Amino acid sequence: MLQIRNLRKSFGDLHVLKGIDLDVNKGDVVAILGSSGSGKTTMLRCLNFLERADDGIMTFDEQRVELNKVTHAEANALRRRTGFVFQNYNLFANKTALQNVTEGLITARKMPRKQAEDIAHAMLVKVGMDNRADYYPSQLSGGQQQRVAIARARAADPEIIYFDEPTSALDPELTGEVLAVMRSLAAEGRTMLVVTHEMDFARHAANRVVFMEQGVIVEQNTAEEFFTHPQQPRTQEFLQTYKQRSLL
């Protein structure tokens, strides 16, 4: 479904991505793990054209583009096939939950307002937020805002949803409600690429895990094999640190 070859990105002399190859099949839930600064978020932003890559080829089903030469029209066409959930929600402060979900449908997709609102209500029901449809972001908790953001990402029925650390800005007690929504998406067979530090989600909801370090993919495997039989010394060290922290 999605194939990435030789993805590279630098900021000045800082080489953040050093030749990433990645394949995502329809229905995959791929968890992207790694320490801060490993390039995870930059990779996701390049895939959704929030950053322009220096090199690399993306093939999305039948559409193939050179990431450093992609046109505005090509980028928009590919974005319309995807959803993106940001770390800090990125909701419009002056719009209600319902309006945040309908905005892209009406403005970008030229959908009639009534149809957009029907879809938005259905999506808010799925994330348990329809009873807050008329609330503004300032009236919602962080977890509630992120659930609205997920409803917004789902509303256009994307072929793949990118998640950039969707729970890292949340207090621990609010993390569970967002992860529950994400697990329901995985159970539906949604294709998801998730940058996360939530190891339990990666182990039990993802079917594949990719571990990045210093701009390269160190190891990737099924979630079961990754957590039970890590192959690379750096992966083993990373997982050992996780196990020690979970015992605290």
Side-chain angles (χ1 to χ4, degrees):
M1 177 181 184
L2 175 67
Q3 182 185 81
I4 305 298
R5 292 292 179 267
N6 195 38
L7 173 58
R8 296 179 182 272
K9 176 65 180 177
S10 297
F11 295 98
D13 294 330
L14 179 62
H15 300 292
V16 179
L17 299 175
K18 304 172 183 177
I20 299 294
D21 293 342
L22 181 66
D23 294 287
V24 181
N25 297 313
K26 185 175 177 60
D28 274 350
V29 178
V30 182
I32 311 293
L33 306 180
S35 304
S36 297
S38 60
K40 308 182 302 295
T41 289
T42 299
M43 179 185 72
L44 217 59
R45 290 177 65 85
C46 286
L47 296 186
N48 206 44
F49 310 104
L50 298 170
E51 299 282 356
R52 180 174 285 270
D54 298 326
D55 199 5
I57 302 292
M58 169 189 285
T59 305
F60 199 120
D61 288 337
E62 74 289 348
Q63 188 171 358
R64 181 183 184 275
V65 295
E66 296 182 54
L67 291 171
N68 62 336
K69 299 178 181 178
V70 64
T71 67
H72 185 69
E74 288 172 330
N76 280 341
L78 285 164
R79 276 202 196 104
R80 281 194 290 269
R81 303 174 68 179
T82 69
F84 200 104
V85 178
F86 295 87
Q87 179 177 349
N88 292 309
Y89 330 132
N90 278 29
L91 299 179
F92 295 109
N94 63 337
K95 295 184 182 296
T96 65
L98 182 70
Q99 291 168 336
N100 266 280
V101 180
T102 61
E103 178 68 18
L105 300 177
I106 295 169
T107 303
R109 297 175 184 266
K110 311 302 181 186
M111 187 178 291
R113 182 173 300 277
K114 177 63 167 60
Q115 182 183 356
E117 290 180 348
D118 288 345
I119 291 173
H121 278 296
M123 294 301 102
L124 289 171
V125 167
K126 284 181 176 291
V127 299
M129 287 297 296
D130 197 46
N131 64 338
R132 298 289 190 273
D134 295 327
Y135 283 50
Y136 289 89
S138 62
Q139 298 172 298
L140 302 174
S141 70
Q144 290 172 331
Q145 290 183 65
Q146 193 62 294
R147 283 190 279 158
V148 172
I150 293 173
R152 178 180 60 187
R154 294 180 66 179
D157 195 23
E159 296 171 55
I160 184 170
I161 304 178
Y162 301 120
F163 291 82
D164 181 19
E165 294 278 12
T167 61
S168 64
L170 300 178
D171 293 333
E173 62 266 27
L174 301 177
T175 296
E177 64 189 48
V178 174
L179 290 177
V181 170
M182 293 174 65
R183 289 190 179 97
S184 71
L185 284 174
E188 290 176 5
R190 289 275 177 180
T191 307
M192 302 160 61
L193 192 58
V194 185
V195 171
T196 185
H197 61 278
E198 296 292 342
M199 296 297 171
D200 287 342
F201 175 86
R203 183 164 193 168
H204 300 294
N207 67 307
R208 288 179 51 220
V209 175
V210 172
F211 176 63
M212 292 180 64
E213 179 82 355
Q214 297 183 351
V216 300
I217 292 177
V218 175
E219 185 167 346
Q220 56 181 313
N221 212 328
T222 65
E224 177 66 23
E225 284 297 310
F226 180 88
F227 282 100
T228 58
H229 300 105
Q231 301 298 306
Q232 300 300 320
R234 180 65 187 99
T235 312
Q236 295 166 5
E237 178 185 354
F238 178 82
L239 290 176
Q240 185 60 37
T241 300
Y242 154 65
K243 290 176 184 176
Q244 290 172 350
R245 288 176 179 171
S246 67
L247 292 174
L248 294 178

